[in-house]
Amino acid sequence: MQDRRVFLASLASGVAAGAIGPRRLAALAPQERPRPSPAQLAWQRDELAMFLHFGVNTFTDREWGDGTEDPAIFNPAGLDTRQWARAARAAGFRAMILTAKHHDGFCLWPSAVTTHSVAHSLWRGDRGDVVREFVDACRAEGLRPGLYLSPWDRNAPVYGDSPRYNDFYVAQLTELLTRYGSIAEVWFDGANGEGPNGRRQVYDWPRFFGTVRRLQPDAVMFSDAGPDIRWIGNENGVAGDPNWSTVNPDTVPYPGASGDAIAAMLQHGDPQGTVWRPGETDVSIRPSWFYHAAEDERVKRLDRLTEIYFDSVGRNSKLLLNVPPTRDGLLHATDVSRIAALHDRITALFADDVAAGKHLAWQATGRRTAVWELDLGRAVRVGCARLEEDIEQGQAIARYTLYARDGRGGGMGGAWRVLSRGQTIGYCKLDRFEPATVRRVRLVIEDAVTPPRPVRIRLYEGSGP
Ligand code: FUL
């Protein structure tokens, strides 16, 4: 087992775009630090993606189906994937990920290797294909499609007969990755239950990852163990603080592994990490992942969603917010209005950057320290900062303090006071603080893992709830 783990880890790091060998950071020149691939950059810049849990569980009112469902129960009479995509786009989402197959094994596309699929439901005769309608809707609304294909399959008779199930799973991956055009993200969860024969399935992760790379070289792969995107380590909508996009791949050898060191690596990443593998924060807008009418009054409130946004996007992560379709095949009106309200609030909070164009000199004060000053030109009230590193060059900042003074008496007056302190920044760090009237702002970089580069500072009046 140990050998296999080491092998998997080295494969995962080798498969990761931009991966470098497991040398110590101290030996690395800045240009050797891990950096994102174009696909990882595009993934991060989406900021918001919608997760859609949909399948036989929607009709049985369960969260984990056991694979014995009659396909005939799947009958979303009013299914309208354009309604999903329009609601997502209007609320600022840039990607969507659909559960093409959950643990029950029921396929939302007509898979040739199983009868547990939409092709054996009554919906749309035997011609239904939810994945096709989903991908078409994404394209029509300019969203990037992603697919979740559960490795754990409680229906497949060959599950637990490892080589045979791995063939079966690769056949399903191949169908999904060859029939529907470009797929932006492939989502592997780590759940791994007992097979019907009592044996555990040993997944051939190297083969799965290799299949995706070969068939969709521009897709990112998500799992606890990447190789491109890592799970953030919880389903509460909270990324770690700090949250490094670099990891040590040996710490999380395969999806589904657990332990304290793994939990910490998922939450925080590792400033010494040798591989670029940013964290994705998945959370449901409702208590459960699948739609249950009993939860219609328990859709997360706007303030909670705003907190989640600050704790994920605002901590150098990406938010994957689950909005599950109903039995009609539509997003519920409450959920749609809640994501629209979130969008309105975020848009209002970040409407007016009072620091735009106001940066003064960036000054290196040491090999790993620097100071960056802004003159806002007039006294303005601010309550929130958005800090951004140029992550195309990697992630460097390890500790900073944001100061301001009110500038009374011609711009230089008033004492410097602390607005916020933090550790790393990465793609986006959102700091909220007690609203203050400020004129001069100073970002002091107190530590960095490589010589720091100028940070983009945006300042806003509102601080949110
Ligand atoms: C987990 C699954 O067991 C849950 O049902 C859900 O799909 C979540 C996003 O991933 O591994």
Side-chain angles (χ1 to χ4, degrees):
M1 189 62 187
Q2 188 56 32
D3 286 346
R4 182 176 167 78
R5 287 185 185 189
V6 170
F7 170 64
L8 287 176
S10 64
L11 181 120
S13 58
V15 170
I20 52 178
R23 285 169 288 163
R24 296 306 300 162
L25 179 68
L28 299 180
Q31 65 272 18
E32 292 180 290
R33 289 271 306 160
R35 295 170 195 210
S37 67
Q40 288 170 318
L41 262 182
W43 169 91
Q44 184 111 41
R45 287 175 174 153
D46 288 341
E47 298 192 6
L48 281 179
M50 183 178 285
F51 215 175
L52 297 125
H53 276 67
F54 189 48
V56 282
N57 292 339
T58 312
F59 296 86
T60 56
D61 227 0
R62 297 180 72 170
E63 277 291 291
W64 280 8
D66 60 13
T68 62
E69 304 80 10
D70 178 352
I73 62 171
F74 184 81
N75 192 12
L79 184 110
D80 182 0
T81 53
R82 283 297 287 276
Q83 185 251 4
W84 309 352
R86 271 194 297 269
R89 191 170 67 94
F93 291 74
R94 299 203 181 94
M96 300 209 293
I97 299 180
L98 173 69
T99 51
K101 178 181 88 166
H102 203 252
H103 309 328
D104 46 67
F106 182 80
C107 298
L108 293 181
W109 80 101
S111 171
V113 296
T114 179
T115 55
H116 203 46
S117 88
V118 66
H120 296 262
S121 72
L122 306 174
W123 179 72
R124 305 242 201 279
D126 58 357
R127 306 175 64 87
D129 185 344
V130 183
V131 172
R132 167 80 59 208
E133 295 189 25
F134 164 76
V135 168
D136 287 350
C138 286
R139 302 237 155 82
E141 296 296 330
L143 300 165
R144 298 172 349 107
L147 296 171
Y148 171 122
L149 183 68
S150 170
W152 186 25
D153 186 321
R154 303 177 85 182
N155 174 270
V158 292
Y159 188 85
D161 178 344
S162 294
R164 287 181 67 201
Y165 179 73
N166 288 330
D167 287 347
F168 172 94
Y169 187 80
V170 166
Q172 293 193 326
L173 255 184
T174 303
E175 290 174 348
L176 289 175
L177 301 179
T178 55
R179 292 184 186 174
Y180 301 100
S182 154
I183 298 298
E185 182 164 346
V186 180
W187 220 88
F188 297 108
D189 69 88
N192 181 1
E194 293 293 329
N197 51 10
R199 279 189 291 154
R200 273 185 98 76
Q201 171 70 30
V202 180
Y203 300 121
D204 191 346
W205 289 111
R207 191 172 163 210
F208 300 169
F209 294 161
T211 301
V212 179
R213 271 289 184 271
R214 185 166 50 80
L215 298 176
Q216 295 271 346
D218 296 330
V220 291
M221 288 180 257
F222 165 101
S223 82
D224 303 2
D228 304 313
I229 308 296
R230 72 177 200 270
W231 183 42
I232 208 65
N234 64 62
E235 294 176 342
N236 309 323
V238 182
D241 183 15
N243 176 21
W244 290 87
S245 292
T246 45
V247 300
N248 176 353
D250 300 341
T251 307
V252 190
Y254 58 90
S258 58
D260 291 349
I262 291 174
M265 184 65 70
L266 294 173
Q267 267 275 282
H268 298 292
D270 181 354
Q272 313 290 323
T274 52
V275 168
W276 188 270
R277 188 178 294 167
E280 184 166 276
T281 304
D282 61 318
V283 61
S284 186
I285 197 165
R286 290 163 171 256
S288 304
W289 291 104
F290 284 87
Y291 175 81
H292 306 289
E295 295 181 352
D296 283 351
E297 303 301 319
R298 299 181 64 199
V299 179
K300 288 187 174 61
R301 305 276 163 214
L302 179 57
D303 284 357
R304 179 74 202 110
L305 291 175
T306 310
E307 289 299 324
I308 287 173
Y309 180 85
F310 274 88
D311 288 347
S312 54
V313 176
R315 289 185 180 175
N316 187 38
S317 183
K318 173 170 171 176
L319 175 57
L320 177 60
L321 182 66
N322 181 64
V323 185
T326 65
R327 288 182 186 179
D328 289 335
L330 298 169
L331 302 188
H332 192 277
T334 304
D335 306 35
V336 171
S337 73
R338 206 56 50 82
I339 57 172
L342 176 66
H343 181 62
D344 289 348
R345 178 173 277 180
I346 292 169
T347 307
L349 277 174
F350 301 117
D352 187 18
D353 170 14
V354 298
K358 309 285 191 199
H359 294 66
L360 298 176
W362 168 267
Q363 199 193 338
T365 50
R367 240 177 69 70
R368 295 183 172 193
T369 58
V371 176
W372 197 200
E373 206 162 309
L374 280 65
D375 182 354
L376 302 179
R378 64 193 165 94
V380 228
R381 218 162 154 69
V382 296
C384 178
R386 177 174 166 130
L387 309 176
E388 301 171 2
E389 286 188 67
D390 175 10
I391 58 163
E392 287 189 46
Q393 308 302 324
Q395 186 177 356
I397 314 294
R399 200 174 69 241
Y400 68 85
T401 304
L402 189 65
Y403 296 92
R405 63 181 178 193
D406 60 19
R408 75 180 71 116
M412 299 303 287
W416 288 109
R417 49 180 284 199
V418 173
L419 295 181
S420 67
R421 292 183 197 281
Q423 298 183 54
T424 193
I425 293 176
Y427 170 75
C428 168
K429 178 80 192 323
L430 295 174
D431 286 346
R432 284 175 292 177
F433 38 83
E434 195 58 41
T437 301
V438 307
R439 158 112 193 226
R440 289 243 171 189
V441 175
R442 182 181 273 178
L443 178 69
V444 179
I445 308 299
E446 294 153 347
D447 195 13
V449 294
T450 52
R453 298 165 159 271
V455 170
R456 171 108 191 223
I457 306 174
R458 304 175 196 257
L459 291 170
Y460 304 95
E461 183 181 348
S463 61

